[in-house]
Amino acid sequence: MPILTLHGGADRVVFAQSSEGLEEHFTAFYRRVVLDGIGHFPTREASDQVPRLLAAFLDSHGKR
């Protein structure tokens, strides 16, 4: 299963570094996107970016 991780670069609850270097733990495609200036709630704080990133990811993996 392809994985997309969207992480807020300014998240003070779960630091963006916590999602670095995890590719080896997944057998399928893994993509990590750090959203600069975004905190713990990317869907609220980057409501314009998140749907575009998700749609592009789903399109590129034939899931939509």
Side-chain angles (χ1 to χ4, degrees):
M1 167 96 35
I3 303 294
L4 172 64
T5 298
L6 301 177
H7 210 129
D11 189 337
R12 298 174 130 201
V13 177
V14 180
F15 298 114
Q17 295 85 351
S18 69
S19 64
E20 282 181 1
L22 299 179
E23 295 82 2
E24 67 185 50
H25 298 288
F26 300 95
T27 57
F29 181 85
Y30 174 83
R31 180 168 182 220
R32 172 182 177 261
V33 177
V34 176
L35 302 167
D36 292 330
I38 302 301
H40 190 65
F41 299 101
T43 54
R44 292 184 196 170
E45 299 172 45
S47 59
D48 57 331
Q49 290 177 284
V50 170
R52 279 185 279 155
L53 289 165
L54 183 56
F57 180 79
L58 293 172
D59 285 344
S60 68
H61 293 283
K63 302 293 181 191
R64 197 166 85 138

